[in-house]
Amino acid sequence: MSLMIIWLVSCMIPQLVFSQMHSRPCSAICGDGLPGVPGVPGHDGTRGDKGDRGPVGASGEKGADGPHGPKGGKGEPAQVPQRNWKQCAWKNVNDGRDYGLIKDCAFMKHANDTALKVEFNGDFRSCCCLDCCKRWYFTFNGVECSGPLAIDGIDHILQNHGRPDTNIHKTTQIEGFCQGINKGIIRVGINVGDCVGKKPGHAYTGWNSVTRIMIEEVPPPQN
């Protein structure tokens, strides 16, 4: 009987050991394996279609005001184009000469290509003759204007019913533009003389009134 028990036990022990070995994980039997080689990276995929535009977002809140900048410096005064003009005036000139310069007025001309506008305003007359004539004219530094022509006025007595005693005083204006005068000090004068082809007669200028010479430098004329 004891021999049979020993035999049964000896037969069962190998079966139990074998069953226990097969029930363990492989790692317990074989150990962890080495990591595999990484695979080759795949190609980029094709670009997807453009998505629809999303709705416009709501307006953000207004930010806080920034600090005030420093006060600017004082600006330059505005440049207003200035006219260059002058007048000379005399009261009761009462000049009875028949020839020469009566009055002149010094004027500073600023540019070479500008013109001078001049005007005489005052009394003059010729008298005491028939078919006689006196002429009043401007000069510029003693020379009559040639750009383009002289600036003058006349007083002529023709027949007067045969009476040579006409003596009518009246205020008259003579004015015009003169070109071709270089810059600098220009003496603008009013003069008296004879009319071409007429008897001289007797002149009188500035009786019992104010006599003026007015001068202005103006831009050149249009072509």
Side-chain angles (χ1 to χ4, degrees):
M1 185 65 177
S2 59
L3 291 174
M4 185 174 292
I5 291 171
I6 292 171
W7 178 81
L8 289 172
V9 171
S10 63
C11 288
M12 292 176 65
I13 288 173
Q15 291 296 328
L16 291 172
V17 172
F18 181 78
S19 176
Q20 289 292 328
M21 290 179 63
H22 279 275
S23 64
R24 295 178 185 175
C26 179
S27 58
I29 302 172
C30 307
D32 293 333
L34 296 176
V37 179
V40 179
H43 297 292
D44 293 338
T46 57
R47 185 173 182 178
D49 296 333
K50 185 175 181 180
D52 296 332
R53 183 175 181 177
V56 178
S59 299
E61 295 182 0
K62 182 180 179 181
D65 293 337
H68 289 290
K71 184 177 180 180
K74 185 177 181 180
E76 295 293 330
Q79 298 296 318
V80 179
Q82 298 295 315
R83 294 173 62 181
N84 183 25
W85 66 277
K86 181 180 180 180
Q87 75 166 335
C88 296
W90 306 268
K91 188 174 182 180
N92 298 333
V93 172
N94 293 328
D95 194 314
R97 77 186 67 199
D98 292 331
Y99 302 95
L101 177 67
I102 298 170
K103 289 292 183 182
D104 67 359
C105 182
F107 181 82
M108 172 59 75
K109 189 172 185 287
H110 291 163
N112 289 327
D113 63 343
T114 54
L116 288 184
K117 179 184 179 181
V118 294
E119 181 179 349
F120 165 83
N121 182 282
D123 162 78
F124 64 64
R125 67 99 175 105
S126 59
C127 82
C128 312
C129 59
L130 296 177
D131 198 18
C132 58
C133 182
K134 297 303 291 186
R135 174 177 178 257
W136 284 260
Y137 58 93
F138 276 103
T139 54
F140 302 84
N141 290 338
V143 180
E144 287 199 64
C145 179
S146 59
L149 295 168
I151 302 171
D152 62 1
I154 63 171
D155 188 27
H156 175 236
I157 301 174
L158 184 55
Q159 296 178 355
N160 193 31
H161 307 289
R163 298 181 58 178
D165 59 351
T166 300
N167 187 15
I168 301 175
H169 287 267
K170 58 186 179 295
T171 297
T172 307
Q173 288 181 302
I174 304 170
E175 62 181 309
F177 295 89
C178 190
Q179 301 166 235
I181 301 173
N182 290 332
K183 65 182 180 180
I185 300 262
I186 311 297
R187 300 203 70 87
V188 178
I190 189 71
N191 306 258
V192 66
D194 294 335
C195 301
V196 177
K198 295 296 179 180
K199 291 184 293 185
H202 299 287
Y204 202 92
T205 307
W207 176 75
N208 197 31
S209 59
V210 174
T211 299
R212 284 184 172 86
I213 294 176
M214 292 164 277
I215 312 161
E216 182 178 5
E217 185 174 7
V218 297
Q222 63 179 352
N223 294 326

